[in-house]
Every structure is written in structure tokens, then in C-alpha cells.
Amino acid sequence: MSVRSNIILNTVSQIYMALLSVATLPFYIDMLGSQAYGLVAFFMQLQTMIGLLDIGISATVSRNTALFGAGKLARNDYFAMLRSIEFSFVVVALCILGGVFSAPVLAQSWLNLGDFSVVVARDTIQLIFVVIALRWMQTYYRAIVLGAEQLVWLGWFNILVSSVRIFGVLPYLYLVSGDVLDFFLYQIVVNFIELMLLFFRTNKIAGFRQGERFGKINKTALSDAIASSLVVGLTSLLWAVITQADKFLASGILTIADYTAYSLVISISSILLLLSGTCIYAIGPAMARLLAQDKKSEAVAVFRNISLVVSLMLGAASVVVIGWSEALLFAWTGNVPLSQKAAEFLPLYMLATLFFALGNLSYAINYAIGNFQLRLKYSIISLLLYLPALALLLWLFGEQGLVYGWLMVNLLFFVVPQFFLYRQLDDSLYITSMLQDVCIPVMAAMSVLLLMFIVDLRPLNRLEIFAVLTLIGLLSLVVAVLLSRARLLLLPQLRQLLRK
């Protein structure tokens, strides 16, 4: 299967999952209640924080799987690494399960529950740790599938399990008149089945012979994998701290009802990360394989093509959200107070996340060349600037300071380090790709924001608002595509004029 086919189906599956999550969220809030849904939002935050324990090992598994497929890694070394890392993931999963004992403390001392039942919150948090342990193990097996570039299978698999996990829970809750406890009991069952399916699939991909699947844990292979993952892991850890700092503070200073509004903002903005991350992780193994085969020009072409596609999608999606936040939220939730509260944060938060997603394109370069040293240095600087700035902005502007801090750190990382990160793959890549594949499409899409002064959505009902916003999104995508194509004709002529 070609790289293009892999990326297309994987991207389609991620878009489907994102749309499914967005479409079902109002039903979750309606069936569970806004306070109970705050626990679902807390689960997503906690899952992200525990994901820091990965320290880049899953990325190493994925990259080594790609190198093994390209014939650049010995069979015995590869299988020794797989067994050893799998064992370490199991140990961490057991530690995560131990988190159930912290549930009373989290329910009573950290979460601002208001009049919500402490007992229900405690029991829910215990179930949350079980779900996170199962999803933690899935990370390891998904890394193998990703490294093997079996993205078509993974795409269809994601569509199936996300349909059952995200949408299937709604009729279940309706039939059992369920609450948030029933929601997470359902998630435990579905995630266990998902884990088993991934387990058997990765065994088939690896092609273990007799006696290879289980054996002694190779301490050298494990230590080598961890050592090669430390820079990746530390980089991921720093950015996880950056991305989670505002959410962590929000869960402590906002009421659980206001935190629900903030989680809506995060959910909508995360669509950009889902779209960009899907493409970045899809091309990473392919670029690593091409570079290992001394096909640098092909690796550069893959990177440029996906950068253009990501920029087109992100630009069109951002225009709708930034320009018509409150109307979009109302059409989505039907809850006026909740929409008004979330709209206070959404436009700037979406813009900040756009910079973050575009700046993260260079991650594919670091992944492909297997060198994260430079990215680590800029990540350390970003964190050192961000945390004190966030504290100051929170003190000056209150809860809105969370958004200002998120915008500041992502704008700086997008503007400053990218020139040096792009040059690691090719000296001229920054000028060509950042200008032509990123900036021109995004700015072209943003030109549609001029319609804010013309289009008034207040008299429309929810369905009509969705229809108009869809048309605006499509219009911004068409404008971006046309201007991106136009630069292919205009730039050569401009170069000729400059030479004269």
C-alpha cells in the first residue's frame, strides 16, 4: 500500500473519530449532566498526564519497526527489544492500576465538586484508572502497527472501535438509565476488547517464530531502548507539561461546571492536533525508511506534500471556529450559558492551537532523522519562558490568562525555532516549505474571516447555523487551495523578476 493511501485512510479515520467525538459530546452532557461530564473531562486530562510515562519509548518502538521492515535492524535485536519494552509497559500498567487508591484524595481534596456526590466521584475515578491502564497498553501495540506502516488496517480498526466506544455508549446509557459510573464500566469492557485485538494483530505483524514470542527479558535491549528514547521522551515530557499546565490549573481554580465549558474549548481545539498529529505520525515511519534507503529527495517530497495538506485542513477549520465561536458552540450544544462561557476562551485558544499544530510539523523531521537534540533545547527554553509567564498572566487577567499564556508559548515556538529545525533535513526546506506549504495556505484561508462583518448568524436556528458554517469552511478551503495553486505560477515569474 502506498504512503499516500496510508495517509489518506488514516486521516479519514481520524477525522471521523474527531467528528464523532464532537457530535456526541452534547449528548454526553445531556445524559450525564454537566457536573458528571466534568469527570469525563478530568479523565481525558489524567490520561494525557499519565501518558508522560511513555518517555518516547513508543516512538522508538515505531521507528525500530520501520527500520526492521527496511532491513536495517537484525531480527534477534528487534524481537529482544519488543519483549523487553512490552514487559516495561505491563509494569507501568500495574502501577497505574494502583492509582485507584488515590481516588478518595482526588475526589475530596482536588476536584471542586460543588454539590456533586463525593462517593460517586471517588468510585468513578477508580474506574478511570482501570480504563487508563488498558489504554496505556494499547499505546505499545499501536506503535508496532504504525511502524509497520499498516495504516489502512489501523484506519478501519480506529473507525470500528471508536464507533463502539464513543457512539455505542449512548444507547447503552439510555437502556440502563445509566450514570457516569455506567459510562466508565462500558469503557472498560470496550477498551479490553480493543487491547486484545491489537495484541493479536501485532503478533501477526511481527511474525514470531516458535520460541520468539516469550522469553527472557533482555536488560541490555531494554536499557538501549530507554537510552535512545530519553531525548524524545524528555522533549515530549516538556511539551506535555506545557500543553497540560493550563488544563491542570483550570481543573483546580474553575468550578466543575466552568471546567466543563473549558473542556469544550479544549475538545474543539484538539481537532487541529488530531488532524496534524495523524499526518505527522503517519509519514514519520515512511520518511525514516526513505532516509535509511538514501532517498532524501523522496522524504522531502513526502514532508512537503503532507505539510500542504495539513495547512489547508487546519486553516479552513480554524476560520470557522475563530470567526463564529459562540454561534458554533450554540449550534453544537444548544446550551446558551455554556456556549457564552466557552466562547470567552475559544477564539484565542483555537489560534494558539493552530500555531502549535503547525509548529509540530517539524516533529516528523526529527522522527525521521532520529535526532531530537535541537528540539529538546528549544523545548526547554519554551518551558522556562512559559511557566512564569503563565503565572503572571493568570494573576493579571484571571482565568483568561490561561489562554494568553497558551497563545504566547505557541506563537514563539512557531516563529523562532522552526528555521533551525527544518534545516536538519534540508538547508532550503524552511524557505520553500514554511512559506509555500504553510503560510500561504493558512493566510489564504484566514482571508475568509472578512465575512465576519457581513454574515450574521443570530437569527438562524441550530441546523441553519451548521449549514452556513459548513459552507464558510468549504469556501475557506477552496480559497486556500486556489491561492496555493496560484503560487506555483506566480513564484517562478517573481524569481525571474528578482534576478533581473
Side-chain angles (χ1 to χ4, degrees):
M1 189 67 68
S2 68
V3 174
R4 179 180 297 179
S5 299
N6 279 335
I7 292 173
I8 289 174
L9 184 56
N10 198 41
T11 302
V12 168
S13 70
Q14 294 298 325
I15 293 174
Y16 171 80
M17 292 165 60
L19 293 176
L20 192 62
S21 299
V22 168
T24 54
L25 193 147
F27 296 99
Y28 288 167
I29 296 176
D30 183 58
M31 298 181 76
L32 299 175
S34 61
Q35 289 183 308
Y37 181 78
L39 291 172
V40 178
F42 177 70
F43 153 69
M44 293 186 287
Q45 176 201 344
L46 190 62
Q47 178 178 276
T48 303
M49 294 176 64
I50 291 178
L52 303 180
L53 299 173
D54 185 341
I55 64 168
I57 295 180
S58 62
T60 298
V61 170
S62 178
R63 189 171 187 275
N64 284 349
T65 300
L67 294 177
F68 174 69
K72 300 295 182 179
L73 191 63
R75 182 182 182 87
N76 290 338
D77 293 339
Y78 176 64
F79 288 141
M81 178 211 67
L82 287 186
R83 288 193 300 267
S84 301
I85 292 180
E86 183 181 39
F87 173 77
S88 70
F89 265 73
V90 171
V91 171
V92 174
L94 294 174
C95 294
I96 293 172
L97 286 175
V100 298
F101 299 108
S102 68
V105 176
L106 291 173
Q108 295 175 11
S109 303
W110 177 253
L111 294 177
N112 187 353
L113 295 174
D115 58 355
F116 191 79
S117 171
V118 176
V119 174
V120 173
R122 180 202 64 198
D123 295 343
T124 301
I125 293 171
Q126 290 174 340
L127 297 179
I128 283 173
F129 277 105
V130 178
V131 177
I132 293 175
L134 293 171
R135 295 187 69 81
W136 165 261
M137 289 303 304
Q138 292 172 20
T139 303
Y140 166 76
Y141 297 113
R142 284 180 185 276
I144 298 175
V145 179
L146 184 64
E149 297 184 62
Q150 295 200 2
L151 300 185
V152 172
W153 182 90
L154 187 61
W156 286 115
F157 179 77
N158 286 337
I159 289 173
L160 174 63
V161 297
S162 62
S163 298
V164 176
R165 177 162 29 90
I166 299 172
F167 178 75
V169 71
L170 293 175
Y172 169 76
L173 290 175
Y174 177 78
L175 290 173
V176 301
S177 300
D179 56 12
V180 69
L181 289 171
D182 293 305
F183 175 87
F184 282 105
L185 285 171
Y186 178 90
Q187 297 301 322
I188 289 173
V189 174
V190 173
N191 277 280
F192 177 77
I193 296 173
E194 183 178 353
L195 176 61
M196 290 298 99
L197 292 173
L198 285 168
F199 173 81
F200 290 118
R201 183 65 183 185
T202 53
N203 283 347
K204 183 178 180 180
I205 290 172
F208 290 108
R209 297 170 184 165
Q210 186 175 2
E212 288 181 330
R213 181 64 185 85
F214 300 102
K216 292 183 179 180
I217 303 305
N218 190 320
K219 295 181 180 179
T220 302
L222 180 59
S223 61
D224 289 345
I226 293 176
S228 62
S229 304
L230 282 178
V231 176
V232 184
L234 185 53
T235 304
S236 301
L237 174 62
L238 292 173
W239 275 101
V241 172
I242 291 173
T243 57
Q244 295 304 308
D246 67 303
K247 303 169 186 64
F248 182 75
L249 291 173
S251 69
I253 65 176
L254 298 179
T255 65
I256 198 167
D258 285 348
Y259 186 65
T260 296
Y262 199 75
S263 70
L264 291 181
V265 173
I266 296 169
S267 296
I268 293 177
S269 302
S270 65
I271 292 175
L272 300 186
L273 304 181
L274 189 63
L275 293 174
S276 63
T278 298
C279 297
I280 291 168
Y281 295 124
I283 65 172
M287 290 177 62
R289 173 175 53 80
L290 290 170
L291 290 177
Q293 297 170 343
D294 295 323
K295 298 178 180 179
K296 179 180 174 181
S297 60
E298 293 183 28
V300 170
V302 169
F303 177 77
R304 289 201 58 186
N305 288 336
I306 207 64
S307 295
L308 177 59
V309 171
V310 168
S311 300
L312 290 170
M313 292 191 300
L314 267 54
S318 299
V319 164
V320 174
V321 178
I322 293 172
W324 294 270
S325 294
E326 188 172 341
L328 175 64
L329 288 162
F330 170 70
W332 181 26
T333 65
N335 188 320
V336 174
L338 188 63
S339 301
Q340 291 174 339
K341 182 64 180 178
E344 296 176 9
F345 306 112
L346 185 52
L348 284 181
Y349 201 97
M350 190 71 172
L351 181 61
T353 307
L354 174 63
F355 285 124
F356 176 69
L358 294 175
N360 213 31
L361 286 169
S362 55
Y363 180 93
I365 296 175
N366 299 123
Y367 180 101
I369 64 177
N371 188 340
F372 282 81
Q373 295 285 351
L374 189 59
R375 194 176 197 88
L376 174 61
K377 293 177 183 178
Y378 285 112
S379 300
I380 293 173
I381 295 172
S382 297
L383 181 65
L384 293 177
L385 291 174
Y386 177 56
L387 292 181
L390 181 62
L392 177 62
L393 291 169
L394 190 60
W395 178 66
L396 292 174
F397 302 102
E399 58 191 26
Q400 196 68 32
L402 298 171
V403 182
Y404 296 153
W406 178 236
L407 176 61
M408 179 208 74
V409 69
N410 288 304
L411 180 59
L412 285 176
F413 192 78
F414 176 74
V415 172
V416 180
Q418 298 306 313
F419 172 77
F420 304 100
L421 295 173
Y422 274 59
R423 289 188 63 189
Q424 291 180 292
L425 182 61
D426 187 83
D427 287 339
S428 62
L429 185 60
Y430 179 81
I431 300 298
T432 55
S433 185
M434 180 58 75
L435 173 63
Q436 300 176 20
D437 306 328
V438 177
C439 292
I440 290 178
V442 171
M443 289 189 294
M446 289 296 172
S447 66
V448 179
L449 284 174
L450 294 172
L451 292 177
M452 288 176 59
F453 302 102
I454 303 172
V455 178
D456 184 7
L457 302 181
R458 286 175 295 182
L460 306 181
N461 60 41
R462 294 172 64 188
L463 186 59
E464 291 170 338
I465 291 173
F466 266 129
V468 173
L469 292 181
T470 300
L471 290 175
I472 291 174
L474 291 174
L475 175 62
S476 64
L477 180 60
V478 170
V479 170
V481 169
L482 291 177
L483 291 181
S484 297
R485 298 296 297 175
R487 54 92 177 168
L488 296 176
L489 301 175
L490 296 176
L491 285 178
Q493 297 179 14
L494 181 59
R495 292 192 187 101
Q496 290 180 0
L497 289 174
L498 289 176
R499 290 193 186 109
K500 293 178 181 180

